[in-house]
Amino acid sequence: MEFKEQTACSLFRLFEQGEISAVEIIKNFREFQGQRDKDLKAFVKTSWKRAEKKARALDEKRKRGEDLPPLSAVPIAIKDNIARLRETMTCSSNFLKGFFPGYSATVVEKLEEAGALIIGRTNMDEMAMGSTTETSVYHPTRNPHNLGKTPGGSSGGSAAAVGGGIVPVALGSETGGSVRQPASFCGNYGLRPTYGRISRFGLAAYASSLDQIGLFARDPDDLWRVFGVLAGKDKKDSTTVSGKGLERKGEAFDPEEIRVAFPREYMELVEDGEVEKRTFEVVEKLEKAGIKVEEISLTDPKKALGVYSVIATAEASSNLARFDGLRFGKGIEGEKNWEELIKKNREVGFGQEVKNRILLGTLFLSSQYREKFYDRAVQVRKEITQELDQLFCNFDLILSPATPMPAFNLGSRIESSLEKIMSDIMAIPGSLAGLPAISLPMGLNSEGLPLGLQLMAPRWKEGRLIDFSQFIREITGYREELKYFSEGGSE
Ligand code: GLN
């Protein structure tokens, strides 16, 4: 049996039925990760010993005939900005190297209670700022479908780990596209939940009004299972809500009841012919299957991108002020006064992208520019949110490509940063509005690179996203086109 081809749900089943032990699972995945990650470099740290200890305990539990929680023996990776006790959390930044958080994130506690085996921490863009995982202080991560391409970002390590068969499921985080964009580049399903659905306690903040923990998987059912474990009210994050609408119709789901909106302005941003062709192909297949897809008009997402740049950098400049070299940091001492000390620590600790964003955000919040930029952006954000909410009075889902292009070359961050920013454009309006959205496989292009489709839903309707994704999988067969486990991958 190829362990790496199993989904989280099937691993759980095999373990529950006693066909395989948790220790065997860990041994097998460890071996594969050892080989595969030499190429992919998806991880910044592994925790096999801890996972093995947990696996032994799970095997004992099963032998005793006790109830097995829903993620028992499922290997999972977490992004390096999610806190776990007794493990460094660095956000792939020089600033936080050697930092041990004094607590675990709520999601980590929930995963552990659910029996998951956390096998390591994945690479990311520094402080979750970027679209290629190249701003990481460690190393770039590579795309499992083509080692010369980026996996996307900022959660590129998690996307590559899932796309490369190292884990069936991984956690990432999204501010404006950092789960959906890399999921699309690596051929995964990537879910951004409704804002307030999953606790952010223990997630290092980038822009708090936008940040959400998101999930990667190769299968919609896996996403749903992990989502079910993580969702819910948390005392430690006052933006969370209780289990509102946490249901999925599953077998009872009737796709013909779904009215799909297809925004013209999103398609106009697509310059890649194959992305365009595939998207229209999906629309055609949906229509053939009896689904109503209606072309509609929405505010140009470029406007949302502008709003995002202001709000995200403004919040980042405030959130990252805590990194001062006193509470966190490199511990550089011997400066004349505390101002010099903070300056020095920040100079050495942060990379260029992070510095740029802090500077921009500071400018947007300065008394001179606040009204012109920040206040205006907050206003337009409200308008975009209202427009989307309004649209959902008449439609159940909004469909578009997940990204206007496939994965770009490694190093292209330097070549074209506009292209980089544009890769998140489909994701940003939903992020601003706090809506749930999913990116799902739309097959491969002629170069063998995955393409992704995006679905957006009204708040708390993640179940609908999963059900409809499953339906699209069945009528298109795109997911089955992907060859995840072709060892190596070419340049
Ligand atoms: N790529 C986007 C950016 O760099 C989104 C980042 C994110 O969602 N964390 O801002």
Side-chain angles (χ1 to χ4, degrees), residues 12 31 98 179 184 232 280 282 323 358 370 387 444:
F12 172 79
E31 225 174 85
V179 167
S184 152
F280 281 113
V282 175
F323 298 118
I358 293 175
R370 184 187 164 124
E387 186 190 44
L444 298 168

Side-chain angles (χ1 to χ4, degrees), residues 301-314:
K302 287 212 240 19
K303 202 164 165 182
L305 202 56
V307 169
Y308 168 79
S309 312
V310 175
I311 293 180
T313 55

Side-chain angles (χ1 to χ4, degrees), residues 110-300:
K110 287 190 168 191
L111 286 179
E112 280 168 353
E113 268 162 41
L117 303 170
I118 300 176
I119 65 142
R121 311 180 62 82
T122 56
N123 199 19
M124 57 185 277
D125 280 299
E126 182 179 7
M127 299 288 174
M129 298 176 181
S131 308
T132 61
T133 313
E134 288 171 296
T135 70
S136 162
V137 70
Y138 301 107
H139 43 71
T141 293
R142 309 210 242 172
N143 190 305
H145 294 267
N146 181 328
L147 298 178
K149 304 275 178 185
T150 164
S154 62
S155 315
S158 293
V162 171
I166 297 178
V167 272
V169 189
L171 301 193
S173 72
E174 259 230 15
T175 308
S178 278
V179 167
R180 283 166 285 165
Q181 184 256 33
S184 152
F185 283 4
C186 293
N188 303 321
Y189 291 84
L191 178 70
R192 175 198 169 91
T194 313
Y195 186 79
R197 182 62 107 175
I198 292 181
S199 169
R200 283 177 294 120
F201 178 77
L203 169 71
Y206 164 12
S208 317
S209 77
L210 293 156
D211 296 342
Q212 269 295 278
I213 287 176
L215 319 158
F216 295 90
R218 297 190 298 268
D219 180 83
D221 287 336
D222 279 7
L223 273 188
W224 185 249
R225 177 165 298 205
V226 181
F227 172 73
V229 165
L230 303 184
K233 176 92 192 141
D234 178 17
K235 286 202 297 295
K236 296 175 191 151
D237 174 357
S238 57
T239 60
T240 50
V241 298
S242 56
K244 190 166 166 178
L246 246 185
E247 70 276 341
R248 182 184 164 188
K249 290 200 174 157
E251 296 285 295
F253 178 70
D254 180 2
E256 289 187 33
E257 281 176 8
I258 299 291
R259 296 153 302 170
V260 180
F262 183 43
R264 197 172 303 131
E265 292 75 8
Y266 285 52
M267 281 317 285
E268 280 164 7
L269 294 165
V270 178
E271 283 173 15
D272 183 290
E274 293 189 81
V275 171
E276 188 182 350
K277 195 171 139 240
R278 275 286 166 123
T279 313
F280 281 113
E281 208 175 275
V282 175
V283 170
E284 211 173 285
K285 288 188 181 189
L286 284 172
E287 283 172 339
K288 265 206 194 119
I291 316 297
K292 233 178 114 213
V293 182
E294 198 177 312
E295 199 177 292
I296 52 123
S297 175
L298 274 177
T299 301
D300 185 344

Side-chain angles (χ1 to χ4, degrees), residues 14 101 166 182 206 223 293 304 332 344 348 361 376 378 388 438 460:
L14 290 166
I166 297 178
Y206 164 12
L223 273 188
V293 182
I332 292 166
K344 194 58 185 246
V348 177
R376 181 86 192 103
V378 169
L388 289 168
I438 192 167
W460 321 117

